[in-house]
Amino acid sequence: MTTALDTDADTGLFGPHSVTWRVHLEPVLFVGGLRALILQALHPWVMIGTYQNSALFDPAKAWARFVRTAEFVGIRTYGTTAEVERAARRVRGLHSKLRGHDPATGRPFRLDDPEYLLWVHCGEIESYVDVAVRSGVLDAADADRYVAESARAAEVVGAADAPRSRAELADYFTGIRPRLRLTDEAITGTVNLLTARLPAPTAVKLTQPPVAALAFKTMPRWARRMYGSPGLPTTDLSATLALRAFRAVASRIPGPPEPPRMERARRLMAEAGTLP
């Protein structure tokens, strides 16, 4: 039987010659995904809206939410054009229905405000590219290519004018930092995420605490300080060394079976001569 995955001509947003395909094959990106959620929590309105609408604040459901997010990233990265648009349309539709309200004034706001969507995108991409560079997956030039490619992912969910280089990404964070703060919602959501109840004993469950700690340590110093951590340069060095060790170990340990999209991506990259 023929499926969409058999149609090799359609490689979606990226393709076998992209940096994005290569980066997202790396297990160390799991650390980046957790880091992104911790960083994204520092936007007060995004987090208040999330608190009022999301299962993130139910410890029993927090892990399932993270898995759903990871599944969407997988489709967005490796899916065909039709699969990407279908998943993105579902996400846009969901976000369009969500409303938050200011607890002090009752003022309503939309969770799909382009400003908030851009924040979520930048928190995700900054986390992925930082982890990829520090773990040795990317050099400086390919890191800029990765950020530029990621603008396509921003567009499909409605985030416009996304940064297209690490310098533009840094400028974005410099501009938005005065509007960030640690809220009670951020503390609750982050604690629930990092102590989420996993469904069954798995390798992920056994490694969750140290990986979660590493995700926190890899955040920018200013972000760690907002959470009450000292944000010392020595933490940056130790986190970088830990990321490199994590990548080295992960590359030698057989992982769980990959989704069909990732298997297809490996095959297409091998055929194109771009598989690491």
Side-chain angles (χ1 to χ4, degrees):
M1 182 176 70
T2 300
T3 68
L5 294 180
D6 298 319
T7 310
D8 291 349
D10 187 343
T11 54
L13 295 181
F14 305 107
H17 294 279
S18 69
V19 176
T20 300
W21 271 24
R22 173 160 55 90
V23 168
H24 283 265
L25 289 177
E26 295 277 350
V28 74
L29 263 285
F30 180 81
V31 179
L34 285 173
R35 178 194 191 274
L37 292 175
I38 302 168
L39 179 60
Q40 289 162 348
L42 291 174
H43 192 298
W45 295 110
V46 169
M47 205 57 194
I48 288 170
T50 302
Y51 177 81
Q52 294 169 353
N53 288 276
S54 176
L56 176 63
F57 295 87
D58 182 342
K61 298 178 181 178
W63 185 254
R65 179 181 181 272
F66 177 75
V67 169
R68 287 195 301 272
T69 300
E71 288 173 347
F72 172 72
V73 172
I75 294 171
R76 187 188 69 192
T77 303
Y78 297 114
T80 64
T81 301
E83 289 172 330
V84 172
E85 178 51 37
R86 186 161 53 247
R89 186 166 56 247
R90 185 168 59 249
V91 169
R92 293 194 304 267
L94 173 63
H95 288 170
S96 70
K97 299 174 184 176
L98 299 180
R99 300 290 185 275
H101 63 272
D102 183 339
T105 67
R107 179 185 69 87
F109 59 91
R110 297 176 62 101
L111 267 68
D112 64 349
D113 184 305
E115 176 188 337
Y116 303 158
L117 295 176
L118 183 60
W119 163 255
V120 171
H121 169 79
C122 289
E124 176 191 353
I125 298 307
E126 196 276 336
S127 295
Y128 283 147
V129 75
D130 181 74
V131 166
V133 169
R134 292 166 68 181
S135 64
V137 175
L138 293 178
D139 59 21
D142 279 349
D144 275 342
R145 282 185 58 200
Y146 176 78
V147 176
E149 290 174 2
S150 75
R152 306 169 201 168
E155 291 167 0
V156 300
V157 294
D161 302 320
R164 294 179 177 272
S165 69
R166 290 193 84 192
E168 290 184 10
L169 199 53
D171 288 344
Y172 170 83
F173 278 96
T174 298
I176 202 169
R177 275 177 59 184
R179 286 177 274 167
L180 306 179
R181 72 174 188 269
L182 182 66
T183 62
D184 291 341
E185 292 85 359
I187 295 171
T188 301
T190 300
V191 169
N192 284 352
L193 174 69
L194 301 184
T195 60
R197 301 173 196 165
L198 304 192
T202 63
V204 172
K205 188 167 187 175
L206 295 175
T207 60
Q208 184 190 7
V211 171
L214 178 57
F216 183 87
K217 289 170 61 177
T218 60
M219 288 204 305
R221 291 179 206 170
W222 58 263
R224 300 200 307 269
R225 287 172 182 145
M226 290 183 73
Y227 274 101
S229 173
L232 301 174
T234 50
T235 302
D236 295 330
L237 177 59
S238 65
T240 297
L241 294 174
L243 283 171
R244 291 181 177 269
F246 183 103
R247 185 187 178 211
V249 170
S251 67
R252 291 170 170 78
I253 298 176
E258 290 183 330
R261 291 180 186 87
M262 291 183 70
E263 292 180 350
R264 172 181 180 248
R266 286 188 186 277
R267 174 170 56 81
L268 293 177
M269 292 174 71
E271 293 171 358
T274 57
L275 187 66

